[in-house]
Amino acid sequence: MSVESGFKTFRGSDGLWENYPVEQVASHEGWNADPELVTGFYNMLRKKLYGAQPNEGHRLIQSLERMYDVTVITQNVDNLHERAGSSKVIHLHGELMKVCSSRDPDDPRWQVELGPDNCAVPMISAAAEQASQADVFVIVGTSLNVYPAAGLVQYVRPSVPVYIIDPEPVTAPSRRDVTHISKGASEGMKELCSLLGAV
């Protein structure tokens, strides 16, 4: 979703994981091994975010709020949906601009006990609940290879139309009624808005 705003994907070709292995910068073990590397990685992303702007795709998603009750479920850690004006955003993988102290990790105010159904993604239950209530389900800019987020489509009722917006071929697991819009976020959202009569 944020590629057009200047952010590399994590998994795509020339993605962030090619230069920074996930185990080094996105795990507790990586933090313990080299906190300076991890801090530098996220500070680099934060610096980039300060200069970034929401793209037309972000703005078009927000514009759907005029006609629909829209909940954005994102794997992105940026705040570009909020900056575009989206009022309900669920961040599955955390938020780049929100941090907590590591100085006192035993302080219970900074501890979250994760249950078995959301052990690595604290907001997955809220996201699944929203997916199960959706009247239209739109997936933008993901390979649908990363779980548990890729499994959210399984919570969508069978009668609900599902749209995937991505320039690359994407297959939704075990869904036959998926409309694939083979475009980037902005152009794909324009087409979707037209299909929904929201232009």
Side-chain angles (χ1 to χ4, degrees):
M1 186 72 218
S2 298
V3 168
E4 294 173 31
S5 296
F7 283 89
K8 290 182 177 183
T9 64
F10 281 87
R11 294 183 181 272
S13 65
D14 194 34
L16 290 170
W17 292 154
E18 287 187 7
N19 299 318
Y20 297 90
V22 64
E23 298 81 13
Q24 285 184 323
V25 296
S27 71
H28 184 70
E29 293 77 19
W31 169 259
N32 285 336
D34 195 342
E36 287 184 23
L37 173 72
V38 175
T39 300
F41 173 76
Y42 289 104
N43 283 343
M44 175 264 302
L45 291 178
R46 287 183 190 99
K47 184 176 180 181
K48 200 170 213 174
L49 182 55
Y50 282 125
Q53 294 298 319
N55 62 54
E56 189 171 10
H58 292 107
R59 290 188 292 276
L60 287 167
I61 288 172
Q62 187 282 326
S63 75
L64 292 173
E65 290 188 16
R66 285 177 276 175
M67 296 177 67
Y68 302 98
D69 180 13
V70 176
T71 299
V72 176
I73 301 169
T74 183
Q75 296 180 88
N76 292 354
V77 295
D78 60 60
N79 61 0
L80 295 175
H81 283 292
E82 289 89 345
R83 286 170 48 196
S86 288
S87 60
K88 292 193 291 189
V89 182
I90 296 173
H91 287 271
L92 294 179
H93 293 207
E95 298 177 64
L96 190 56
M97 302 310 292
K98 293 183 180 177
V99 297
C100 66
S101 172
S102 62
R103 182 170 290 166
D104 188 3
D106 295 324
D107 187 330
R109 292 176 297 172
W110 310 117
Q111 295 176 352
V112 175
E113 184 174 334
L114 301 175
D117 64 334
N118 61 356
C119 58
V121 185
M123 296 302 293
I124 196 67
S125 294
E129 177 65 23
Q130 288 298 313
S132 72
Q133 296 175 20
D135 293 320
V136 176
F137 196 74
V138 182
I139 302 162
V140 182
T142 181
S143 62
L144 287 178
N145 289 323
V146 180
Y147 284 84
L152 288 174
V153 72
Q154 300 299 326
Y155 291 90
V156 177
R157 289 169 288 143
S159 61
V160 169
V162 175
Y163 297 89
I164 296 177
I165 299 172
D166 197 286
E168 301 296 324
V170 178
T171 303
S174 70
R175 294 282 309 212
R176 288 174 286 153
D177 55 340
V178 172
T179 302
H180 184 204
I181 300 172
S182 299
K183 296 181 178 176
S186 294
E187 290 303 311
M189 281 303 303
K190 281 184 196 173
E191 185 171 326
L192 177 68
C193 287
S194 178
L195 288 169
L196 296 177
V199 286

